[in-house]
């Protein structure tokens, strides 16, 4: 009996990532998402079964590559793309049906690495058997090494960024304990959720961390007077209202309109002739400013054109890392065999991958400088309080 599955538009919203590789967005999702909906509705297939299917089809692709002949290479390229479609479908099915697991994520990652290794050996080995050119053996080693480098580098960069965020959040908690109250959000998260935001109109592309007045109760009139001094920059304020960026406190920052409305209530009551001996209105807490931390501020300042390109890509769900491990694999195992130009496409794909990896490393270097400045700003903000 068919299961109750949402319409295709809703399935796309649930299963497709907000940003993904351009190859996936343009050549995989249009096929994979309808197939996932059909599988979820009419079968009892599990994500792990799709992972095994992707792996087995990938091994079939390797067997074709090993033959060396162009017709076999073309068939191997088609099978590799089918394998990748199945590889994307397992995660989509897990998100749609809620049947994902930690083991399934591990299995998917390990099978991906094995598939790349086996296919690289088969592809280059088949070409070496056909031509006796030792260059193909070196290319096999290069493909396997670059794939491993890409994912090791990605993991390490994630750990470093996570560590920087963790330290900033710890400093923010310490500042809150010292009565230097403020909300916290990261500019990178705000931009990810709001790719249409225009940072060029914002002051230095970020609302910088500054000493923020502690949260305290104040008369309504004082709250009115303090409101302009605690407002955030326009671009950051517009981002905060719609993003789900992580913060140290779930309480949202009040808007300026809310603060003014709340402050005007006592005046209104007085104008209508309220009794002078009536109890005073409850004091309203002063609005806390949201501190937006931008760990990519220096990179955006040096390359302002990249912000526009990035936002354009994100509006089409394409991530800014245009040549990642996925595009590298597609160049080596699909484009190269399909056009019978294995050496040329492998070299070009490898060079482009290295260029983008070096760009990411350079961006990380600039991000660590922003991190150091942010930590120093916390120390400067808390110094008067501690003294």
């Amino acid at each position: 009996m068919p299961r109750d599955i949402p319409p295709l538009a809703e399935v796309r919203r649930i299963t497709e990532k907000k940003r993904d590789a351009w190859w996936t967005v343009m050549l995989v999702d249009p096929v994979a998402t309808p197939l996932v909906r059909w599988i979820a509705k009419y079968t009892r297939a599990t994500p792990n079964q799709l992972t095994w299917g992707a792996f087995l089809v990938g091994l079939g692709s390797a067997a074709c590559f090993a033959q060396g002949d162009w017709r076999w290479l073309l068939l191997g390229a088609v099978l590799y793309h089918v394998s990748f479609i199945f590889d994307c479908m397992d995660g989509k099915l897990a998100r749609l049906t809620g049947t994902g697991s930690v083991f399934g994520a591990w299995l998917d990652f390990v099978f991906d690495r094995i598939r790349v290794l086996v296919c690289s050996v088969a592809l280059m080995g088949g070409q070496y058997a056909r031509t006796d050119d030792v260059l193909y053996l070196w290319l096999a080693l290069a493909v396997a090494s670059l794939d491993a480098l890409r994912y090791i580098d990605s993991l390490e960069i994630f750990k470093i960024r996570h560590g920087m965020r963790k330290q900033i959040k710890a400093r923010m908690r310490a500042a809150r304990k010292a009565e230097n109250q403020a909300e916290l959000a990261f500019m990178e998260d705000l931009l990810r959720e709001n790719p249409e935001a225009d940072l060029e109109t914002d002051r230095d592309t970020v609302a910088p961390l500054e000493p923020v007045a502690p949260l305290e109760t104040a008369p309504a009139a004082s709250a009115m007077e303090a409101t302009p001094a605690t407002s955030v920059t326009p671009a950051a304020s517009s981002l905060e209202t719609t993003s789900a960026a992580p913060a140290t406190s779930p309480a949202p920052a009040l808007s300026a309109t809310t603060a003014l409305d709340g402050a005007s209530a006592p005046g209104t009551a007085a104008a209508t002739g309220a009794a002078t001996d009536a109890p005073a209105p409850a004091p309203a807490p002063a609005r806390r400013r949201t501190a937006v931390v931008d760990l990519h501020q220096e990179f955006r300042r040096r390359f302002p054109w990249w912000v526009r390109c990035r936002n354009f890509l994100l509006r089409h769900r394409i991530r800014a890392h245009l040549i990642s491990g996925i595009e590298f694999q597609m160049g080596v195992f699909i484009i190269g065999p399909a056009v019978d130009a294995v050496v040329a496409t492998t070299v070009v794909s490898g060079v482009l991958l290295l260029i983008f990896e070096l760009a990411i490393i350079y961006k990380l270097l600039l991000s660590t400088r922003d991190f150091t400045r942010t930590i120093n700003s916390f120390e400067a903000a808390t110094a008067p309080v501690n003294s």
Side-chain angles (χ1 to χ4, degrees):
M1 183 176 181
R3 286 189 287 185
D4 186 18
I5 301 297
L8 182 58
E10 179 68 10
V11 172
R12 292 188 186 278
R13 187 191 66 82
I14 296 172
T15 62
E16 294 180 353
K17 299 177 182 178
K18 290 185 177 180
R19 58 173 185 164
D20 211 335
W22 63 265
W23 186 282
T24 303
V25 172
M26 300 174 65
L27 301 176
V28 175
D29 283 349
V31 177
T33 304
L35 285 177
V36 164
R37 183 179 183 274
W38 186 90
I39 290 174
K41 187 171 185 176
Y42 295 106
T43 74
R44 291 294 183 266
T46 66
N48 286 351
Q49 289 173 342
L50 291 182
T51 302
W52 275 100
F55 179 66
L56 294 177
V57 175
L59 294 183
S61 174
C64 294
F65 288 151
Q67 305 305 312
D69 183 72
W70 177 75
R71 287 169 294 185
W72 285 104
L73 293 181
L74 182 59
L75 178 58
V78 172
L79 289 179
Y80 195 91
H81 187 60
V82 172
S83 172
F84 185 68
I85 291 176
F86 274 97
D87 188 32
C88 294
M89 288 172 59
D90 57 3
K92 295 180 185 295
L93 183 63
R95 289 188 288 273
L96 180 60
T97 60
T99 54
S101 65
V102 176
F103 177 78
W106 174 87
L107 189 70
D108 181 54
F109 178 81
V110 171
F111 277 1
D112 284 351
R113 306 284 67 75
I114 295 175
R115 179 182 60 189
V116 171
L117 177 61
V118 173
C119 285
S120 61
V121 171
L123 176 61
M124 303 307 172
Q127 295 304 298
Y128 173 74
R130 190 183 71 171
T131 63
D132 285 331
D133 190 347
V134 73
L135 174 63
Y136 288 104
L137 300 182
W138 288 108
L139 287 178
L141 178 62
V143 170
S145 300
L146 286 174
D147 181 74
L149 172 65
R150 161 64 190 145
Y151 284 93
I152 292 174
D153 184 46
S154 176
L155 177 61
E156 289 302 315
I157 289 178
F158 172 80
K159 289 167 59 177
I160 292 174
R161 287 178 174 171
H162 178 74
M164 290 192 296
R165 286 183 172 224
K166 188 175 181 180
Q167 289 189 52
I168 290 174
K169 290 180 180 179
R171 293 299 182 98
M172 175 59 74
R173 285 192 293 267
R176 291 171 70 85
K177 290 181 181 179
E179 297 185 347
N180 189 23
Q181 300 281 345
E183 302 292 338
L184 176 65
F186 288 94
M187 179 65 76
E188 183 180 8
D189 294 331
L190 301 181
L191 291 177
R192 183 178 297 115
E193 297 294 331
N194 300 269
E196 297 180 0
D198 183 9
L199 291 181
E200 294 181 354
T201 61
D202 190 15
R203 178 169 55 91
D204 292 333
T205 73
V206 65
L209 283 176
E210 297 174 352
V212 183
L215 179 65
E216 58 184 4
T217 58
S222 299
M224 287 184 62
E225 297 172 0
T227 298
T230 58
S231 62
V232 299
T233 55
S237 180
S238 64
L239 290 171
E240 292 158 14
T241 59
T242 56
S243 81
T248 54
S249 171
L254 298 176
S255 66
T257 303
T258 304
L260 291 172
D261 290 344
S264 64
T268 304
T272 56
T276 58
D277 58 348
R287 184 171 64 90
R288 290 183 294 185
R289 167 179 174 164
T290 298
V292 180
V293 179
D294 188 6
L295 294 181
H296 299 291
Q297 182 176 0
E298 187 171 345
F299 181 84
R300 276 191 279 268
R301 188 173 296 159
R302 293 192 180 193
F303 306 99
W305 55 269
W306 180 245
V307 176
R308 294 188 291 270
C309 294
R310 178 183 184 273
N311 292 345
F312 172 79
L313 293 172
L314 289 182
R315 283 194 290 270
H316 296 82
R317 291 202 312 113
I318 298 175
R319 64 188 180 193
H321 191 188
L322 294 177
I323 307 297
S324 64
I326 292 175
E327 289 82 7
F328 173 68
Q329 291 179 39
M330 302 308 119
V332 173
F333 301 121
I334 295 180
I335 299 177
V339 300
D340 198 17
V342 174
V343 173
T345 54
T346 300
V347 171
V348 171
S349 299
V351 169
L352 291 176
L353 178 66
L354 284 175
I355 290 174
F356 272 84
E357 289 304 305
L358 290 175
I360 290 177
I361 294 172
Y362 177 68
K363 187 178 180 182
L364 177 66
L365 172 63
L366 299 182
S367 181
T368 58
R369 295 176 181 175
D370 288 324
F371 168 74
T372 301
R373 284 191 289 267
T374 301
I375 294 297
N376 292 338
S377 70
F378 272 113
E379 295 176 353
T382 57
V385 178
N386 293 334
S387 60

